[in-house]
Amino acid sequence: MEQGHGQLDKVTGAGLLVALGIVYGDIGTSPLYVMQAIIGKSRINEEVVLGALSCVFWTLTLQTTIKYVILILRADNRGEGGTLALFALVRRHAKWLTIPTMIGGAALLADGIICPPISVSSAIEGLEILYPKIQTVPIVLVILSVLFIIQVFGTKVVGGAFGPIMLVWFSTLGVLGLSNVADNLLVFKALNPYYAYQLLAEHPGGFALLGAVFLCTTGAEALYSDLGHCGRGNIRMSWIFVKSCLLLNYFGQAAWLMQHDGQFLNGRKPFYELMPDWFLLPGIAIATMAAIIASQALITGSFTLVSEAIRLNFWPKIKLKYPSDQKGQLYVPSINVLLFIGCVAVVLYFKRSTNMEAAYGLAITLTMLVDTLLMAYFLYTHRSNMWLVIMFLVVYFAVEGAFMLANLEKFTHGGWVSVLICVILAGVMFIWLKAGQIKAQLTEYTKLSTYIDALKELSRDASIPKYATHLVFMSNASRTSEVESKIIYSIFEKRPKRADIYWFVHVDTTDEPYTMQYKVDVIEPEDVIKVTFKLGFRIEQRINLYLKRVIEDMVKNKEVDITSRYESLNKHNVIGDFRFVVLEKFLSFENELPIFEQLIMKAYFFIKGFTTSEDKWFGLDSSAVKIEKVPLIIRAVERVKLQRIYG
């Protein structure tokens, strides 16, 4: 499933169409609201229009084209991209990048809550031109509701139409822009970066407009996230067409604005003003479909991000579904509900797209800053010229830092919403990771070799009822020679578990996306076997299925005999039963923890109460699984002041 570099760089007509359909939804719908957000309620001013247009041009060039399309697309993790895929490439060298990466991932999820409402609202509000008294909020809510409902069934069929629709959308952007640019060729002066400098440095309040300008590049990070779906060559080639159409539209809107110098927008939308009257209804329909596709891309992107975060132990283990056989097709029920509730809340709170603009963009600057940091470290570890690494870091920290400062101006006007969402999501990630570290540090392991003789004796002790022919324990011990002490306790002391063969299964999640390997260690022939699965961070954990395949291979190679050892069944070659035991930890009362760790662990177990059980997460057959509750004693109470009395 891994893609070689040649395959990644390959360009095909079908690949270009797929790239148009799933990569550019967010950035492609930006013309609906960017110029409108820049002008806002101020009087249209030619100096501001040219300066803002210059900022848009150079932002798309520096931020999207150079940083993402040319540079960051080079950093593929076995054909996969995205903030977490990039982190997986460098985390062995820099554990300190974990926290920034979690913040970047949380910001991307926050973007998934803000983008659908602003895109769909911006498109639907065009109807007000034809029907001034129309209520747009109910229409937006209906569209979003349908969009989230269809996620349950997968989007394979719908996805096939995305490419052609987005081709029509970008062509429409280009044609509308070109027809209006012809009326005022002076807009091309904005190609000179001096106009951007003049706006930012000399115009009163000009720097604050960077927050609105930044909206033109939101979605640039999606270019990288979709690397595995579309390939580097297709993304780079299709971007030439997409960027041309976007710029033509921005220049066309600027030309229209300059013709209305000195006026107020008064609710008019520069994007829809480019359209002739006869095209308004078809134009609104095309814009709405593009907005839906943009929303769909953000939703599926959020599903992929969460599945990666789970494998990297950044997110609780929740139910993942695969509604079709299509590669990358994933549905995460709890995240779908979370995003839907968030989107509805954003629509009901802000009501209009102009109000949502303040909430949009602030969180995503964090993701871009994190990508810059991760890419700089990637370049450093790959022995790039040190001066180039420093220059990359300084230039993009300066650019994105400026966007961050400008976006902070919007904090009190709605920016706090996306920041709040980001903080909550990052908090969940931090709690989950920190609790995992606390548990890992204090989990006791023991040598299997110490108990081999005892296991063999237990296996042959006919005085104890047989628990299962094959007893399979899920283990966190990465070393072949070890298992958790709690497993040994479960076998011998809790209730003696007699079995013919004891299997210990460990799952190791690799930094590569699609690894599917296993290793078998026969510790004691016909008695004790350990199986280690190495699964990529994008691979579904279906241990029941995978273990069957391992055992089939072992039987074929005559490494194990799985027939029942009951005499009456053995002579008929009846296969023995398999029973899985999963140890589920709970926080023991016998703990004495510092306040911070106490809060972390309590929050961890609170969150865990809403997540998928261990057996379902591993894809085990629930009819053959025993869940055992074991107390997690992190730090036992050292002194118990108990006094005996007599008489």
Side-chain angles (χ1 to χ4, degrees), residues 269-289:
K269 293 179 174 293
F271 174 75
Y272 285 117
E273 294 299 327
L274 302 187
M275 296 181 181
D277 293 342
W278 62 267
F279 187 69
L280 260 175
L281 210 52
I284 293 167
I286 295 168
T288 303
M289 285 190 285

Side-chain angles (χ1 to χ4, degrees), residues 1-4 78-79 327 512-515:
M1 293 183 76
E2 295 170 357
Q3 292 190 57
R78 296 296 177 99
K327 180 188 171 186
E512 295 170 359
Y514 293 111
T515 304

Side-chain angles (χ1 to χ4, degrees), residues 446-467:
T446 187
K447 294 282 184 184
L448 260 173
S449 56
T450 310
Y451 297 93
I452 294 298
D453 291 338
L455 286 168
K456 288 167 70 175
E457 287 175 21
L458 177 61
S459 180
R460 288 158 179 74
D461 189 348
S463 66
I464 299 173
K466 190 178 287 188
Y467 192 78

Side-chain angles (χ1 to χ4, degrees), residues 75-110:
D76 67 282
N77 186 346
R78 296 296 177 99
E80 293 297 315
T83 301
L84 296 186
L86 183 54
F87 170 70
L89 281 172
V90 301
R91 71 169 173 166
R92 287 183 216 167
H93 311 284
K95 298 284 186 187
W96 59 273
L97 287 170
T98 302
I99 299 298
T101 302
M102 287 194 298
I103 293 170
L108 266 176
L109 282 176

Side-chain angles (χ1 to χ4, degrees), residues 436 438-445 476 484-486 585 632:
I438 293 170
K439 289 194 303 173
Q441 287 169 5
L442 297 152
T443 299
E444 291 183 6
Y445 296 97
N476 287 325
E484 294 92 321
S485 301
K486 295 288 184 187
K585 299 180 179 72
L632 181 63

Side-chain angles (χ1 to χ4, degrees), residues 71 104 158 175 240 285 294 309 325 375 393 426 465 468 478 532 567 572 601 631:
L71 293 175
V158 184
V175 171
I240 297 170
D325 297 328
M375 186 61 188
L393 199 60
S478 55
T532 301
E567 287 184 21
H572 293 291
M601 295 311 297

Side-chain angles (χ1 to χ4, degrees), residues 8 107 128 268 320 443 577 631 634 640:
L8 267 181
E128 293 173 342
R268 288 178 294 179
L320 306 177
T443 299
D577 65 312
I634 297 171
V640 180

